[in-house]
């Protein structure tokens, strides 16, 4: 059993804390928000992460997990995990302010290993090690929102970058997971994280462009992506068209990697093109909705199904659904939105708690997030209250026969009109 300190109780930090405690380690998780510390200490978890709340309560019950507002206390332990956000700064680079605050607050002992799970530019961990004199290991996270606990406990790989002795010590924390360990230097681990997310973004932008080509040529995007995905060199994942990619990681990580590469004298032209293509995808989807509304959006009521950036989460950060909504609102559309996971206010969208209210009086119904329950909605009931007769399915999650059987016309990405 190791003594572990965690700085940050967001979805990465809290998942890391709860899962390490479940592995038998003694974990002290620090969070500057005292009210949040109080809630977590009572076992109250507000993050919509499956299995996370029971795991936190189990750790509290057996005494292997505690919470504190004192970052310094967590910083004196054998291992200190930095799990703080690194958002995009004004110039596109990663803002390391939260990480710098953690470094200023902790007082590590000589034997302490600082484990950086935050996504940071290449050179960050080496700089920290050089200026502080402590052992630093880059251990990037590869957790998907909505699947964080599963991904921690069943990882594809654990990436550890640093000197051999420190890496060995951190690897021992994960021994019971039985996952492949990628051992490298600081730079290899840092770049590996950015490169992984950027590659996923590239696939998504590519398939969205292919979907547009399919719409023009009469090809079926499902047949195209199945052809691609059965090639083991390509694989089937991240080959579904959609309204664009977003969330808390891909937008900031792609921009940060482009900026970091430019600083090193490398122009990542292909990644810049993927980012630009993603921005244009929002415009493309908004245009398809405009066409479905009869060519004009001014004063048109549009019912939106899905507001979060993906199903299984309430996260609205860089949500493609909201990016499309913003373009519709700018064109004069009146927006009503339903999302089974979202309770926050959503800018230009009037959020409702019933899908029937989202459809009421709508000229066009639009699916923007891939919640499985949307396929199970009573589309005949929605058709009865809608003004128009068109559904634009930007995620291709609806059953065409069901929707058309309700009397609605279905528009899907990657297919010519009427198919």
């Amino acid at each position: 059993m190791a003594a572990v300190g965690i700085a940050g109780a967001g979805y990465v930090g809290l998942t890391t804390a709860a899962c390490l405690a479940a592995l038998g380690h003694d974990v002290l998780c620090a969070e500057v928000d005292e009210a949040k510390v109080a809630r977590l200490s009572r076992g109250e978890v507000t993050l919509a992460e499956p299995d996370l709340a029971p795991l936190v309560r189990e750790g509290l019950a057996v005494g292997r997990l505690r919470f504190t507002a004192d970052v310094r206390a967590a910083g004196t332990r054998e291992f200190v995990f930095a799990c703080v956000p690194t958002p995009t700064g004004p110039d596109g680079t990663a803002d390391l302010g939260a990480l710098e605050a953690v470094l200023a607050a902790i007082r590590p002992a000589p034997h302490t290993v600082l484990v950086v799970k935050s996504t940071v530019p290449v050179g960050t961990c080496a700089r920290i090690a050089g200026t502080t004199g402590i052992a630093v290991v880059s251990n990037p996270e590869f957790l998907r929102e909505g699947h964080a606990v599963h991904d921690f406990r069943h990882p594809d790989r654990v990436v550890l970058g640093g000197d051999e002795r420190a890496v060995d010590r951190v690897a021992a924390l994960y021994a019971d997971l039985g996952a492949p360990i990628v051992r490298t230097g600081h730079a290899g681990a840092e770049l590996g994280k950015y490169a992984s997310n950027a590659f996923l973004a590239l696939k998504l932008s590519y398939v969205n462009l292919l979907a547009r080509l399919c719409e023009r040529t009469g090809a079926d995007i499902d047949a195209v992506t199945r052809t691609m995905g059965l090639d083991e060199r390509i694989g089937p994942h991240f080959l579904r068209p959609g309204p664009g990619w977003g969330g808390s990681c891909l937008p900031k990580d792609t921009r940060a990697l482009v900026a970091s590469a430019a600083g090193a004298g490398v122009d990542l032209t292909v990644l810049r093109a993927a980012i630009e293509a993603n921005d244009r995808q929002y415009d493309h989807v908004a245009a398809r909705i405009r066409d479905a509304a009869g060519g004009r959006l001014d004063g048109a009521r549009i019912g939106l199904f899905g507001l979060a950036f993906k199903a299984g989460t309430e996260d609205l950060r860089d949500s493609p659904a909201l990016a499309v909504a913003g373009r519709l609102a700018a064109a004069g559309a009146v927006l009503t939105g339903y999302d089974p996971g979202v309770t926050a206010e959503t800018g230009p969208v009037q959020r409702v708690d019933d899908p029937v209210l989202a459809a009421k009086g709508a000229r066009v119904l639009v699916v923007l997030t891939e919640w499985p329950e949307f396929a199970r909605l009573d589309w005949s009931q929605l058709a009865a209250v809608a003004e128009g007769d068109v559904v634009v399915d930007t995620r291709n999650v609806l059953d065409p026969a069901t929707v058309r059987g309700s009397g609605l016309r279905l528009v899907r990405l990657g297919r010519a009109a009427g198919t």
Side-chain angles (χ1 to χ4, degrees):
M1 182 175 69
V4 177
I6 306 285
Y11 92 91
V12 173
L14 187 58
T15 301
T16 300
C19 290
L20 286 176
L23 287 172
H25 304 298
D26 178 42
V27 181
L28 179 63
C29 183
E31 167 62 49
V32 295
D33 183 340
E34 294 187 4
K36 186 175 185 179
V37 169
R39 291 194 301 271
L40 290 171
S41 297
R42 296 191 297 267
E44 299 173 7
V45 177
T46 58
L47 292 173
E49 284 294 336
D51 302 321
L52 182 56
L55 210 58
V56 168
R57 289 193 285 268
E58 176 187 319
L60 291 169
V62 299
R64 288 198 298 266
L65 177 61
R66 291 172 292 130
F67 296 94
T68 181
D70 184 0
V71 178
R72 182 173 297 186
T76 60
R77 315 208 96 201
E78 182 181 357
F79 299 92
V80 182
F81 282 72
C83 304
V84 293
T86 53
T88 303
D91 60 353
T93 61
D95 181 352
L96 302 182
L99 179 60
E100 298 293 347
V102 168
L103 295 175
I106 65 176
R107 295 291 185 271
H111 67 283
T112 296
V113 177
L114 175 66
V115 184
V116 178
K117 289 200 83 67
S118 301
T119 304
V120 296
V122 176
T124 301
C125 289
R127 174 178 59 81
I128 294 171
T131 56
T132 63
I134 62 175
V136 180
V137 171
S138 174
N139 174 213
E141 54 86 13
F142 296 94
L143 307 179
R144 298 168 296 164
E145 283 193 56
H147 303 83
V149 171
H150 176 273
D151 290 349
F152 189 101
R153 304 182 95 170
H154 307 279
D156 296 322
R157 72 288 202 198
V158 175
V159 179
L160 301 173
D163 71 68
E164 184 176 354
R165 183 171 179 274
V167 164
D168 285 345
R169 291 174 61 192
V170 177
L173 298 176
Y174 294 104
D176 288 348
L177 297 180
I181 303 290
V182 178
R183 299 168 184 264
T184 182
H186 291 133
E190 292 163 338
L191 184 54
K193 164 66 175 181
Y194 278 118
S196 296
N197 277 356
F199 187 72
L200 298 178
L202 286 168
K203 290 185 75 172
L204 290 170
S205 281
Y206 181 55
V207 78
N208 282 335
L209 289 171
L210 286 176
R212 289 194 222 172
L213 182 59
C214 287
E215 293 164 11
R216 297 289 186 90
T217 61
D220 183 332
I221 188 62
D222 284 350
V224 172
T225 55
R226 178 166 170 76
T227 300
M228 296 169 62
L230 288 172
D231 187 328
E232 64 180 13
R233 297 168 300 175
I234 298 173
H237 303 296
F238 281 71
L239 286 180
R240 291 180 63 103
W245 41 267
S248 62
C249 293
L250 295 192
K252 76 176 182 66
D253 289 354
T254 51
R255 291 193 289 267
L257 182 55
V258 167
S260 178
V266 176
D267 184 3
L268 293 181
T269 52
V270 66
L271 187 53
R272 284 197 293 106
I275 295 170
E276 293 166 3
N278 193 55
D279 290 338
R280 290 194 298 271
Q281 182 69 4
Y282 305 143
D283 297 324
H284 173 71
V285 171
R288 295 214 73 184
I289 297 168
R290 180 201 62 215
D291 293 344
R296 290 191 62 219
L297 287 168
D298 190 25
R301 182 171 294 278
I302 308 295
L304 307 180
F305 290 80
L307 301 170
F309 89 92
K310 71 172 184 177
T313 177
E314 60 186 9
D315 199 339
L316 297 171
R317 287 176 291 179
D318 278 309
S319 168
L322 294 187
V324 172
R327 285 156 172 77
L328 299 176
V334 180
L335 306 175
T336 305
Y338 167 74
D339 189 298
V342 172
T343 57
E345 294 309 311
T346 50
V349 183
Q350 179 188 2
R351 186 185 58 79
V352 295
D353 295 324
D354 187 329
V356 174
L357 294 178
K360 187 174 182 180
R363 189 180 302 176
V364 180
L365 308 180
V366 185
V367 175
L368 288 168
T369 308
E370 70 280 19
W371 288 96
E373 44 263 65
F374 290 163
R376 300 191 293 269
L377 292 175
D378 185 341
W379 286 95
S380 294
Q381 182 184 25
L382 301 182
V385 300
E387 176 187 294
D389 65 349
V390 185
V391 179
V392 178
D393 182 5
T394 73
R395 297 286 187 170
N396 292 353
V397 296
L398 303 181
D399 176 54
T402 298
V403 174
R404 290 168 181 151
S406 70
L408 293 167
R409 292 187 293 120
L410 181 62
V411 175
R412 297 184 288 170
L413 297 191
R415 292 171 180 82
T419 64

